[in-house]
Every structure is written in C-alpha cells, then in structure tokens.
Amino acid sequence: MNRTLLTGLIITVILIAMSLIGPYLVPYNESKEATVHYSVDANGQGTLVVPPLSPNAEYPLGTDKTGNDLLAKIIAGSRYTILVTIVVAFARTCIGGIAGLFLGYFGKDKIKSARRLPLWNVLNGIPIFIIVWMVMIGISINAVIPPLFLTIMLAVVMTMVGIPSVATTIREKTLVIRDKQFIISARSIGASPMTIIRTHIFPHMKESLIILFVQEIVLILGLMGQLAIFNVFVGGSTMYFDPVEYVSRTNEWTGLIGQARNYLYVYQWILVFPLLAYLLFIFGFHLISVGLESIYKDKFSKVSHL
C-alpha cells in the first residue's frame, strides 16, 4: 500500500465514521435553533445576539441564518451524500460491468465512428446532468413525496444514465482480452461462454472494475454538485418566496452548498464548511483511485533484470 492510497483511505474512513457516530457526539441536532437573545459580558457590555452566529465555542462551525447548528447539519446530511454516491457507483459498476463483459465477448469489433448512427452521436454529446435535471426538476421542488423516496428516485436516475459509459469502458477492455491466446485455447477445448467470462475474463477485469468504481464515486459527486447549482438537491428542495430561495430537505452536502452560495460575501462560513467537507470527500476518493492505479501498474509491469 502506497502513501497516496493510505491517505485517501484515512480521509474517507474518517468521513464515513463521522457520518455514523457524529450524531451522537454533537451537542445539538440539526433542527435546534439558536434564539435571539441579549448577552452581557464581564465588563457589563450588552450585545444583541441574532443568528446567523459565526463559529464560536458553543457552535464550532457557526449556525445558518435561522440559527441551526451548521456542524449538526453537515453530519446529518453526510449520510445522504456518502450513501447515495457509494450505492449509485456500486450499481453502475455492477450492472454496467456485467453488460460490458457480455457485450465485449459476444459483440462485434469496434465500429468506426463514420458508421455510427447520427442520433447516437447527438445523444452522446448531451451532458448527463442535463438529462438528470430535466427528469428531476419537476418533482424535486416543493414535493409532497417524502425525502427518502425522492432520494431513491434520484439514485435510480443517476444509475441509469451512468450505466452506458461503464458498459462501454468494460466492453472495450473485454474486446482486447477475448482475443488473447488463453481465451482462444479455452474456447477450442469446449469451454462455454459463461465459463470463459467467469473464470478467464472477469479475473483480468477485477482491478479495472475496482478503479472504475472509485472513479464513478468522484463522477457522481461532481454530478450532484452540478445539480445543486440548479437547485436540484438530494431528497428534494423547498422553495420559499419573497425573497426566492431554495433549501435542502435533507441537509445533504451539495444541497447545503447550493442553498448557501449567495452567502459568499456575507456569512462565508455557511458556504465554506459544507464545501470543505464535499471537496475533502472527493479528494479522498481521488487519492484512492490514483493509489490503486499505481499499485496495479507496478504489480503487472514487467521489468527486465540483467
């Protein structure tokens, strides 16, 4: 295990542990609000305390504009961020990986770009987040559907739009492996396609699938961040009027970032702390991906010795 992989694992394990045991350690829950009160210091100076409160001894990360403890909100929302990204990435990798193995083994060789259907080229150029946004925008804002059900719907949509890219990647790798001599030999002695895929091709794809799984987590986190810019939050958005603002129903990290992006020049901590948690999570999995690639590259590389 190299330092890059170890650092990434430490970061992600700490964040996952925080999401699991954090709610039992913070002094307040995400729904408790700091009230407006009058404070008198030791010198007799009085101050009217009105939320949002900047970071202090009582609220280490401060509060939002309604007085909710920001640390408690980040910890409460971490479960949605972490669980959704891992589950969606796992589903994409499993379904897309299986489809790619069969498409690569039974499919034809690469089709030249000029022979592809124009419609495929057009659809392939549409950003995934636009597709997800168009599906979810109409049902995410001020929805009567429970947040958990909306979260499941969003997870299903993100899984479906990501399967083709995973399947294509695995298919291309399978096309290369199926022409190897040991595959041809197994086929010549009568091994069934299922046996060849299970016992010969899949073992050569395990490392690629693991790296792909980690990379999918990073891509999904990026997709969730893009959706949050357009007010589609995991679990749904509550829209308030006069002034118009959108609030996350689950306190998921990208939702906290999306609803607080207008506070950059006034109450910076409301935006900065959820953004740091989000970026740290991405950075941790990026390090894991780089570390795994380095390990597998060293493992399978052949160096001549004199």
Side-chain angles (χ1 to χ4, degrees):
M1 182 179 295
N2 52 48
R3 293 181 180 178
T4 303
L5 177 58
L6 180 60
T7 303
L9 287 174
I10 291 174
I11 292 173
T12 54
V13 167
I14 290 175
L15 292 175
I16 293 173
M18 178 193 71
S19 70
L20 296 176
I21 65 176
Y24 304 102
L25 301 179
V26 293
Y28 306 109
N29 60 45
E30 69 276 13
S31 61
K32 179 173 176 19
E33 297 181 357
T35 57
V36 178
H37 63 278
Y38 193 76
S39 175
V40 180
D41 60 20
N43 298 323
Q45 297 292 329
T47 305
L48 182 63
V49 180
V50 181
L53 305 180
S54 60
N56 54 62
E58 186 176 6
Y59 300 99
L61 302 186
T63 71
D64 62 11
K65 73 171 191 174
T66 59
N68 298 119
D69 183 13
L70 193 56
L71 176 60
K73 293 183 70 172
I74 292 174
I75 291 177
S78 64
R79 296 184 178 184
Y80 283 89
T81 305
I82 294 172
L83 186 61
V84 168
T85 52
I86 291 177
V87 169
V88 173
F90 184 78
R92 281 184 177 186
T93 306
C94 287
I95 300 173
I98 293 172
L101 286 171
F102 281 93
L103 289 173
Y105 185 80
F106 294 105
K108 298 180 181 179
D109 294 336
K110 291 184 179 180
I111 302 175
K112 294 182 179 180
S113 301
R115 295 172 56 193
R116 292 179 180 173
L117 293 175
L119 178 62
W120 173 257
N121 292 332
V122 173
L123 294 176
N124 198 40
I126 300 176
I128 288 179
F129 92 91
I130 291 181
I131 300 175
V132 180
W133 180 82
M134 292 178 63
V135 173
M136 298 300 300
I137 187 63
I139 59 178
S140 291
I141 298 177
N142 292 337
V144 296
I145 304 174
L148 179 59
F149 187 71
L150 271 177
T151 302
I152 294 173
M153 290 181 62
L154 178 61
V156 171
V157 173
M158 290 195 297
T159 298
M160 293 176 62
V161 298
I163 288 175
S165 63
V166 175
T168 300
T169 300
I170 298 302
R171 176 184 178 275
E172 299 299 325
K173 293 180 180 293
T174 305
L175 284 172
V176 175
I177 296 176
R178 76 172 187 180
D179 294 329
K180 299 293 185 181
Q181 187 62 47
F182 66 93
I183 300 295
I184 298 175
S185 299
R187 193 184 300 119
S188 66
I189 62 176
S192 66
M194 286 297 299
T195 300
I196 293 175
I197 293 174
R198 186 181 68 254
T199 61
H200 295 289
I201 297 180
F202 176 72
H204 284 76
M205 302 291 290
K206 287 190 297 184
E207 291 79 11
S208 297
L209 288 169
I210 293 173
I211 294 175
L212 192 59
F213 166 69
V214 177
Q215 292 174 341
E216 284 297 309
I217 291 178
V218 177
L219 291 175
I220 293 164
L221 286 167
L223 174 59
M224 290 165 58
Q226 292 174 328
L227 292 172
I229 295 176
F230 294 91
N231 304 311
V232 175
F233 306 146
V234 177
S237 315
T238 301
M239 180 181 178
Y240 295 99
F241 300 90
D242 197 24
V244 175
E245 62 178 344
Y246 298 85
V247 177
S248 171
R249 298 171 68 189
T250 61
N251 294 319
E252 183 270 329
W253 289 349
T254 57
L256 292 178
I257 296 168
Q259 72 185 36
R261 63 182 185 271
N262 294 328
Y263 297 145
L264 179 60
Y265 300 106
V266 281
Y267 310 121
Q268 292 84 1
W269 65 89
I270 301 178
L271 171 64
V272 168
F273 288 121
L275 182 60
L276 287 176
Y278 170 73
L279 294 177
L280 189 62
F281 197 49
I282 293 178
F283 183 64
F285 277 105
H286 173 70
L287 291 180
I288 292 175
S289 174
V290 174
L292 288 173
E293 288 178 345
S294 177
I295 286 178
Y296 294 140
K297 181 179 179 180
D298 294 340
K299 179 179 178 181
F300 294 107
S301 62
K302 296 182 178 180
V303 181
S304 59
H305 297 277
L306 298 177

